[in-house]
Amino acid sequence: MRAVAKAVALATLAMVVVAGCKKQDEKKAEQAAPSQAQGPAKKESIVVVPDSVKGKWKAVKIAVTDKTANKESVYTVGIGSELAIPNSDLSIKVETFLPQFTMDGTTLTSQSNEPKNPAAQIRIMEGGKEVFKGWLFSLYPTTHAFNHPKYGFTLVDFIPAS
């Protein structure tokens, strides 16, 4: 019975992620093609960190893969902190961590403090310019992944506050 419930939960989560991807693709298409009539403005997504999650996590571990050297290094980055990647002009800032990421319309939040769908909102800067602002998902590393010509980024772990 537990296996069936888990399968249903994962299937539901997959549908939410796919729906989110489709919405992102639609938004990109709308931005690329100027519209003839001005409709209502698209609402920006908002991130809500529930009280049950605030202050409960102190850092995440992000694997950075150098594709040309075929080498992976794992860095611990504090939530709200920025880390310069050694031997590169990249830096990563972890904006938010949601242990059970969920999306309801334009609201991104966590259903609980249990790490059932961990996600970190990050910013990647290259040469002082923001080149990516988005999410890394530990269960779905290729979902909305940042495609950099030399580096790959993956959320591999998360560290609770002590």
Side-chain angles (χ1 to χ4, degrees), residues 76-96:
T76 301
V77 186
I79 296 167
S81 298
E82 189 169 348
L83 172 81
I85 304 299
N87 305 314
S88 78
D89 60 347
L90 295 174
S91 65
I92 300 175
K93 180 174 184 183
V94 177
E95 300 278 328
T96 308

Side-chain angles (χ1 to χ4, degrees), residues 7-162:
V8 169
L10 285 174
T12 303
L13 179 62
M15 287 189 287
V16 168
V17 169
V18 169
C21 291
K22 287 181 182 177
K23 286 181 183 176
Q24 289 291 335
D25 291 343
E26 289 171 6
K27 186 174 182 178
K28 287 179 187 174
E30 287 175 8
Q31 289 173 346
S35 65
Q36 298 297 328
Q38 288 288 359
K42 283 274 188 185
K43 288 187 177 180
E44 192 74 22
S45 293
I46 58 167
V47 178
V48 176
V49 180
D51 289 339
S52 63
V53 174
K54 284 181 185 172
K56 303 287 197 270
W57 301 92
K58 70 176 182 180
V60 297
K61 291 187 179 185
I62 298 174
V64 179
T65 304
D66 182 332
K67 298 173 187 176
T68 56
N70 198 23
K71 181 182 175 210
E72 180 179 276
S73 300
V74 177
Y75 301 99
T76 301
V77 186
I79 296 167
S81 298
E82 189 169 348
L83 172 81
I85 304 299
N87 305 314
S88 78
D89 60 347
L90 295 174
S91 65
I92 300 175
K93 180 174 184 183
V94 177
E95 300 278 328
T96 308
F97 175 72
L98 298 175
Q100 191 175 355
F101 178 93
T102 187
M103 181 171 60
D104 183 15
T106 58
T107 303
L108 310 175
T109 190
S110 187
Q111 288 182 334
S112 75
N113 196 39
E114 295 298 315
K116 294 182 179 178
N117 184 28
Q121 182 183 35
I122 64 164
R123 289 180 189 254
I124 298 176
M125 306 292 282
E126 185 170 28
K129 289 185 174 183
E130 183 178 288
V131 293
F132 177 75
K133 179 182 177 185
W135 293 87
L136 296 179
F137 298 91
S138 67
L139 298 179
Y140 306 98
T142 59
T143 300
H144 301 293
F146 173 53
N147 191 13
H148 189 276
K150 184 174 178 182
Y151 297 99
F153 304 89
T154 310
L155 177 62
V156 293
D157 202 3
F158 22 91
I159 302 169
S162 44

